Amino acid sequence: MRKNTKLAAGFASVTALTLGLTACGTSSDPASSKDQAGSADKALVVAASPTPHADILKFVQDNLAAKEGLKLEVKEFTDYVLPNTATQNGQVDANFFQHKPYLDDFNAKNKTTIVPVVDVHLEPLGVYSKSVKSLKDIKAGQTIAVPNDTTNEGRALHLLADNGLITLKDGVGTDAKLSDITDKKGLEFKELEAATVPRALNDVDAAVINGNYAIEADLSPAKDALVLEKGEGNPYANLLAVKKGNEGDPRVAKLAKLLNSPEVKKYIEDTYKGSVTPAFGAAE
């Protein structure tokens, strides 16, 4: 039986989540995690964004997990904070929703100790618009919405700079911010939480949208984006992560193996048709 719970940001408090998961006795609770070997027969609880992360996990859950003797429970979150908080606090065993630059930034700002396990896929960031049909139609005086979290805003600004819409300071890294723009070319910018950017498309001239949120908004990155990030050499592969010290959990090892399997590669390619691409390998 599939276990799947969607938790909207702002709806489920951390306290309520803690109580709920304590009642379930997850392997990360103090009472049930005396040793990782003893947790091998318990369900691995993984926090994930709905699309494509939870969808990929559900494919594993329904088609591959039983053969590996893995019990898998997927809990959906619609924001970029609670999955890491829940992982750090032991309310879930692992998470699958983020890339390494975001994880590094989150750990630094929140003093968390979450570590990557394995890379799984890339969701190309894209520029979308309902009012213009190409980048050359974006003119001075128009407004572009961008994600407001540190790494995704920097990623968005680099995409805009790479395509000639703005100019950034020389040498600025993945944490670029609006103040690092040296030439806005007359454009205005609206900073929004990443999950809400697609809903702003009717109110701005263009928007830089994360791949998962584009798909959730019924946009096809491969078809609808005015431009997409290039995959080659891209550091933004989405990864499976755990709290430091839990890398040796045999259930985590089983899930990592399945997430990098030929079956998952085919599922990603067949399901997302270039809007999400496999990016397998050990996370660094």
Side-chain angles (χ1 to χ4, degrees), residues 126-140 142-144 159-160 163-165 187 201 204-207 223-228:
V127 179
Y128 299 81
S129 177
K130 289 190 175 181
S131 60
V132 301
K133 297 195 179 296
S134 77
L135 292 181
K136 68 179 186 328
D137 296 325
I138 299 176
K139 306 295 184 183
Q142 294 184 320
T143 300
I144 300 177
L159 179 61
L160 297 175
N163 287 278
L165 291 175
L187 296 172
L201 268 178
V204 296
D205 299 288
K223 295 179 180 179
D224 297 329
L226 303 182
V227 66
L228 283 174

Side-chain angles (χ1 to χ4, degrees), residues 233-257:
N234 195 306
Y236 296 103
N238 281 223
L239 50 85
L240 179 69
V242 298
K243 184 178 180 180
K244 187 175 182 179
N246 293 337
E247 305 95 311
D249 187 323
R251 302 168 303 160
V252 172
K254 288 178 181 179
L255 180 57
K257 175 185 174 183

Side-chain angles (χ1 to χ4, degrees), residues 8-283:
F11 176 76
S13 70
V14 172
T15 300
L17 181 59
T18 302
L19 291 172
L21 290 177
T22 300
C24 294
T26 71
S27 63
S28 293
D29 296 328
S32 60
S33 60
K34 293 180 180 179
D35 59 76
Q36 292 176 338
S39 68
D41 60 344
K42 297 181 183 294
L44 182 73
V45 183
V46 185
S49 297
T51 304
H53 308 80
D55 293 335
I56 294 170
L57 288 170
K58 290 172 197 172
F59 172 80
V60 171
Q61 183 182 55
D62 290 345
N63 298 279
L64 306 174
K67 295 178 183 178
E68 289 290 329
L70 174 66
K71 296 177 183 177
L72 185 61
E73 181 177 346
V74 183
K75 292 193 174 292
E76 294 185 16
F77 290 76
T78 58
D79 82 322
Y80 280 176
V81 176
L82 286 177
N84 275 336
T85 303
T87 303
Q88 181 69 27
N89 291 342
Q91 297 159 351
V92 299
D93 301 303
N95 67 54
F96 177 35
F97 77 100
Q98 65 193 323
H99 49 64
K100 183 66 160 46
Y102 180 84
L103 174 58
D104 289 343
D105 181 71
F106 189 95
N107 279 335
K109 289 181 176 177
N110 295 279
K111 298 182 180 179
T112 45
T113 57
I114 301 166
V115 295
V117 177
V118 68
D119 290 338
V120 181
H121 71 268
L122 175 70
E123 302 164 17
L125 206 67
V127 179
Y128 299 81
S129 177
K130 289 190 175 181
S131 60
V132 301
K133 297 195 179 296
S134 77
L135 292 181
K136 68 179 186 328
D137 296 325
I138 299 176
K139 306 295 184 183
Q142 294 184 320
T143 300
I144 300 177
V146 296
N148 66 0
D149 60 277
T150 302
T151 54
N152 283 305
E153 181 169 84
R155 186 180 176 189
L157 295 180
H158 277 285
L159 179 61
L160 297 175
D162 289 344
N163 287 278
L165 291 175
I166 61 173
T167 302
L168 291 172
K169 293 177 183 176
D170 289 341
V172 68
T174 57
D175 59 349
K177 48 193 179 294
L178 294 183
S179 60
D180 292 315
I181 301 175
T182 57
D183 186 358
K184 293 185 177 181
K185 301 191 178 180
L187 296 172
E188 300 293 331
F189 294 91
K190 189 172 185 178
E191 297 174 292
L192 299 169
E193 183 182 349
T196 69
V197 176
R199 299 198 291 272
L201 268 178
N202 289 324
D203 303 317
V204 296
D205 299 288
V208 184
I209 303 176
N210 293 68
N212 59 317
Y213 290 134
I215 295 169
E216 288 175 21
D218 294 324
L219 295 167
S220 171
K223 295 179 180 179
D224 297 329
L226 303 182
V227 66
L228 283 174
E229 285 179 315
K230 296 178 180 178
E232 185 177 353
N234 195 306
Y236 296 103
N238 281 223
L239 50 85
L240 179 69
V242 298
K243 184 178 180 180
K244 187 175 182 179
N246 293 337
E247 305 95 311
D249 187 323
R251 302 168 303 160
V252 172
K254 288 178 181 179
L255 180 57
K257 175 185 174 183
L258 293 175
L259 286 173
N260 273 198
S261 67
E263 293 89 347
V264 168
K265 180 177 185 292
K266 186 176 188 303
Y267 171 80
I268 292 173
E269 292 173 341
D270 291 349
T271 302
Y272 302 108
K273 302 184 186 305
S275 296
V276 176
T277 59
F280 295 170

